[in-house]
């Protein structure tokens, strides 16, 4: 099988250098590779190219830290169905569903041929939210419970349909796509690099730093320019601060759902302290404006670095007390343990990523498997892994990652040779030319997991296509699996233990 082989620190790739293989060869190769835990798909998408469709695959080899890139082509008007890889490897389902929905490509034997996002330019305009084909089961003892798409509070829209036997959930189907915003197309319709950066950090507001970093890294690869080491340290620190803030917030949300008020209010206070630290750094609590291509508008000074270090140490100290209180609460443990279990094998089959995968014993973490920046040099990351795969394991991974990230931030602000002064950090460059007719990807470990931005340029070096993958794309199915066999009253804590993104899915 012919692949272009690179890694997460490699340069952009000329489109002509990406091999074109037959679909039969790709199918056979992935049939074998995707059965191994070391391989999973970072992205798989199709783009019109003249009178044909060119499919691009980015396959991650976690054991060898490699990114394998290849492609295949079919005639745009050829109505022959391609054999479905989803039938063998469920992790392919969102990619094949997306390709089919956009372009009408059919996959023979596809077990879940349903709309993924309902994009404005979808191939079949008759397909709509109103006629989404929910799975049904019949039986006198069964009943359906519909939740959403409109939820209480500020939760974004999504439909959850439960099929239950009494209180026991037999099946949950999650339908999204209610707020498709055309984010990917917006990258293609503007050449303003600053506007593109603002789009990237708005893909999912609670992951602004992760998505902005992934996009910036893809752009920087296309420019062919090096990023200063001090800037890499600052970006890593921002990512870990974002991880701390959101994992602490999820701790509080889980405590709230079981009425553990002490853990809730303590976590809310610490989450506020964390995002206020980010605001003191860059003027925005979620880190918007902090990540920019080839430079920064908010370089760390010695004073800001000292402030961040002081706050992070205090947050970690107080959060560790919350963690110990949680572990010593019998009523809380009774709700969280042995609830919402997703076994490792199932997580691997569906392509699960992030802390949810690590809580099931699947050690997927881009900081380890495909390191970049400081994670490829001065900071060697060791993933926090649990094997139980239940709500408690997902919470404990969060707790440990908060403390681990606090330690990382402290180290990143004190690495030898770092100078936190304006002179040591270049200003952003929004006009740097991009390599023409090329592909580049940004791959980072956000707080939810693997975040991937793929950019393709045209012959003039303009961004011709952008494809984005938020970690929630895979993990929504993990939530559906987690509630099978559970009481429907346990859905809220199962849901909070994943805390997935609607807008990260509904691009």
């Amino acid at each position: 099988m012919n692949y272009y082989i690179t890694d997460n620190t490699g340069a952009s790739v000329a489109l002509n250098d990406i091999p074109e293989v037959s679909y039969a060869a790709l199918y056979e190769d992935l049939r074998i590779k995707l059965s191994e835990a070391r391989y999973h798909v970072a992205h798989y998408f199709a783009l019109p190219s003249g009178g044909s469709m060119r499919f691009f695959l980015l396959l991650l080899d976690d054991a060898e830290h490699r990114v394998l890139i290849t492609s295949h082509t079919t005639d745009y008007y050829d109505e022959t169905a391609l054999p479905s890889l989803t039938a063998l490897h469920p992790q392919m389902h969102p990619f094949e569903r997306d390709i089919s929905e956009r372009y009408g490509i059919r996959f023979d034997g596809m077990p879940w041929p349903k709309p993924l996002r309902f994009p404005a330019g979808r191939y079949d305009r008759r397909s709509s939210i109103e006629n989404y084909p929910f799975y049904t089961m019949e039986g006198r003892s069964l009943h359906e419970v519909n939740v959403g798409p409109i939820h209480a509070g500020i939760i974004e829209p999504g439909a959850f349909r439960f099929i239950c036997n009494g209180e026991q959930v037999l099946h949950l189907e999650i339908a999204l796509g209610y707020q498709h915003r055309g984010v990917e197309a917006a990258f293609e319709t503007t050449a303003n690099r600053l506007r593109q950066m603002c789009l990237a950090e708005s893909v999912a507001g609670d992951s602004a730093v992760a998505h902005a970093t992934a996009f910036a890294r893809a752009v920087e690869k296309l420019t062919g320019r090096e990023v200063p080491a001090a800037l890499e340290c600052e970006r890593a620190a921002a990512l870990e601060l974002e991880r701390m803030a959101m994992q602490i917030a999820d701790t509080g949300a889980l405590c709230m759902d079981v009425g553990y008020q002490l853990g809730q209010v303590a976590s809310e206070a610490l989450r506020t302290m964390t995002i206020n630290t980010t605001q003191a750094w860059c003027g925005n609590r979620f880190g918007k404006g902090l990540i920019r291509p080839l430079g920064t508008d908010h370089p760390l000074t010695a004073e800001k670095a000292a402030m961040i270090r002081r706050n992070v140490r205090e947050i970690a100290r107080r959060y560790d007390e919350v963690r110990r209180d949680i572990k010593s609460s019998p009523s809380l443990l009774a709700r969280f343990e042995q609830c919402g279990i997703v076994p490792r094998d199932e997580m691997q089959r569906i392509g699960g990523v992030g802390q949810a995968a690590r809580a099931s014993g699947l050690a997927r973490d881009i900081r380890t498997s495909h390191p970049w920046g400081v994670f490829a040099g001065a900071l060697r990351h060791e993933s926090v892994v649990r094997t139980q795969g239940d709500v408690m394991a997902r919470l404990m991974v969060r707790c440990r990652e908060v403390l681990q990230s606090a330690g990382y931030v402290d180290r990143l602000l004190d690495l030898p040779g770092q100078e936190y002064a304006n002179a040591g950090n270049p200003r952003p460059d929004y006009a740097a030319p991009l390599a023409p007719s090329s592909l580049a990807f940004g791959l980072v470990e956000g707080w939810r997991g693997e975040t991937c931005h793929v950019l393709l340029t045209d012959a003039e070096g303009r961004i011709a296509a952008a494809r984005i993958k938020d970690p929630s794309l895979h993990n929504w199915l993990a939530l559906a699996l987690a509630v099978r066999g559970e009481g429907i009253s346990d859905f809220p804590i199962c849901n909070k233990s994943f805390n997935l993104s609607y807008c990260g899915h509904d691009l």
Side-chain angles (χ1 to χ4, degrees), residues 384-400:
V384 177
V385 179
R386 294 291 183 271
T387 58
Q388 296 87 349
D390 57 8
V391 170
M392 190 63 186
R394 290 188 282 276
L395 175 57
M396 286 297 100
V397 169
R398 281 183 163 86
C399 290
R400 285 296 179 186

Side-chain angles (χ1 to χ4, degrees), residues 65 367-368 371 374-382 404 408 411:
H65 316 304
R367 292 170 293 177
T368 301
V374 296
F375 296 108
L379 195 63
R380 297 293 180 175
H381 173 67
E382 292 187 11
Q404 183 184 59
Y408 285 168
R411 289 175 57 189

